[in-house]
Amino acid sequence: MAEEAKAPVVEEIKNCPACKKPLKKARRFYRNGAYYCNNNCFKKAQAAAKEATAPKE
């Protein structure tokens, strides 16, 4: 019964989604549901996502 009451373990993201560097706890940049190492990585990831969703001619 005690095992069923435990909350599921949430895995913490340890690397920046843009540059794949390990994230330091003191220096994290949170935007749009993800942690980035800085604003430049966030902008780079947004540009890549925008390019991927752009219609191709």
Side-chain angles (χ1 to χ4, degrees):
M1 187 64 97
E3 291 178 18
E4 293 177 18
K6 289 183 181 178
V9 177
V10 177
E11 195 171 312
E12 187 176 330
I13 298 172
K14 300 188 187 247
N15 293 333
C16 176
C19 65
K20 309 297 187 226
K21 288 182 194 174
L23 292 172
K24 307 261 188 216
K25 189 171 186 177
R27 300 183 70 186
R28 290 189 295 195
F29 190 78
Y30 183 77
R31 290 287 189 271
N32 293 344
Y35 288 99
Y36 298 90
C37 57
N38 57 33
N39 193 25
N40 291 335
C41 283
F42 168 69
K43 288 182 180 179
K44 186 168 85 172
Q46 290 300 308
K50 187 175 184 181
E51 183 179 302
T53 61
K56 295 182 181 179
E57 293 182 19

